[in-house]
Amino acid sequence: MRILMIGDVVGLSGQKTLLEYLPKLKRAHHPDLIVVNGENAADGRGITRPIAREFYGSGVDCITLGNHTWDKREIFDFIDGEERMVRPANYPEGTPGQGYVHLKFAGGELVVINLMGRSFLSTLDCPFREADAILKKLKGNPPVLVDFHAETTSEKLALAWYLDGRVSAVVGTHTHIQTADERILPQGTAYLTDVGMVGPYDGVLGMDKELVIKKFLTQLPVRFEVAKGRNQLNAVLIDLNSATGKATGIKRLRLDDDQPWFE
Ligand SMILES: [Fe+2]
Ligand SMILES: [Fe+2]
């Protein structure tokens, strides 16, 4: 079984880049399942129902989220009805939406769990213990993909070691910069600290660079806007043994004007 996990889609240009490259990625890599982080899809902050519909319509099987989950107020109107959308599972009990989903499809099944780190982010419930609690509830030992939406490499790598052999893969999102540390841990869990983003290539994490520079120079409040111009797409392919759930391969994908399309 092959999973294509695509990192944080930023703004309209991120959406367009995703829709442009999905058919090519499908043709080249034949994923059984496509998971996309959509927390920045709506203008850099949050996600709307039409955007989610568009993603599903283009072949996305599951949308994960993060600290920007709630930025578009309308999320509260539809997240409870979204069967294939997951927000961080370690929000307090009673939070709208779901923290994991058990996907079943022709070629098998996959549980997707979204968790959020606590270093330099909101102090949610413990993501390590939340992962334990979810894994305890799962029946039949299905393959599990964890999207760990976190700031620090240490928290991400620590969770991966904590879950080694108990989940198929732990991949990071949120920093918007792809890391080059993909590996399979000794007990069979694939790991990548951050998948990277989809959208503007010449900004700062997808935002207009002049505004971000101004913020650093003045230390005054600046409203960031999604950058314009060239785009990038960052993703990762994870191969699993469907019977055991163990990872057999992990490969980063990076597309931009410096690393153009490859087949
Ligand atoms: Fe993000
Ligand atoms: Fe984030």
Side-chain angles (χ1 to χ4, degrees), residues 27-59:
R27 267 200 308 277
H29 301 293
H30 309 289
D32 295 295
L33 221 80
I34 301 172
V35 182
V36 173
N37 187 294
E39 72 147 5
N40 308 106
D43 209 20
R45 300 170 194 85
I47 190 165
T48 63
R49 198 187 327 228
I51 294 172
R53 292 283 90 82
E54 191 166 41
F55 284 8
Y56 294 135
S58 62

Side-chain angles (χ1 to χ4, degrees), residues 7-10 37-40 44 66-68 149 173-176 197 205:
D8 308 39
V9 176
V10 180
N37 187 294
E39 72 147 5
N40 308 106
N67 55 306
H68 289 292
H149 197 81
T173 56
H174 177 68
T175 71
H176 292 201
M197 61 164 278
L205 314 184

Side-chain angles (χ1 to χ4, degrees), residues 3 110-111 113 115 131 135 141-148 156-172 181-193 236-241 244-251:
I3 303 163
L110 179 74
V111 172
I113 303 175
L115 290 165
L135 294 177
N141 222 9
V144 177
L145 168 72
V146 176
D147 172 356
F148 192 27
K156 286 164 155 169
L157 185 53
L159 184 79
W161 280 116
Y162 185 67
L163 296 177
D164 184 23
R166 297 196 284 150
V167 303
S168 307
V170 174
V171 293
D181 59 339
E182 73 276 18
R183 64 186 289 193
I184 298 175
L185 298 177
Q187 302 305 315
T189 296
Y191 174 69
L192 175 65
T193 296
V236 64
L237 285 168
I238 301 154
D239 287 324
L240 305 177
N241 178 322
T244 63
K246 304 276 185 200
T248 55
I250 177 163
K251 183 174 186 277

